[in-house]
Amino acid sequence: TIEPFHTAIWRDADTVRLSIVGPPGWTGRVQRSTDLQTWTDWFPLTFEALPFQTNDPAAASTPQQFYRLLMP
């Protein structure tokens, strides 16, 4: 069985927070975009038993920011 993916994104006063859960041992990469057309790699990711959590303080200085997870 494959565990489902779960992603949560929320904005605090000065940052955007991401929480991503996936099958342990699987790898991927998180990308971000300000226009949904031009995507840049933000960081690689290997899932573990606990959710991966990170902040994006750069998002506070942009009017909009989009995220996606790519699996090889």
Side-chain angles (χ1 to χ4, degrees):
T1 21
I2 297 175
E3 297 177 25
F5 290 93
H6 174 74
T7 304
I9 301 172
W10 63 98
R11 176 166 238 153
D12 284 343
D14 58 350
T15 189
V16 169
R17 297 174 165 261
L18 287 87
S19 177
I20 308 169
V21 178
W26 284 39
T27 61
R29 66 186 190 272
V30 175
Q31 294 185 325
R32 59 185 172 181
S33 171
T34 57
D35 61 10
L36 290 174
Q37 294 180 25
T38 306
W39 291 91
T40 57
D41 286 344
W42 187 24
F43 60 85
L45 175 65
T46 300
F47 291 106
E48 297 179 9
L50 298 174
F52 176 83
Q53 297 185 351
T54 191
N55 298 331
D56 185 5
S61 63
T62 60
Q64 61 186 9
Q65 188 80 273
F66 303 96
Y67 303 90
R68 70 182 180 186
L69 173 65
L70 297 178
M71 306 297 288

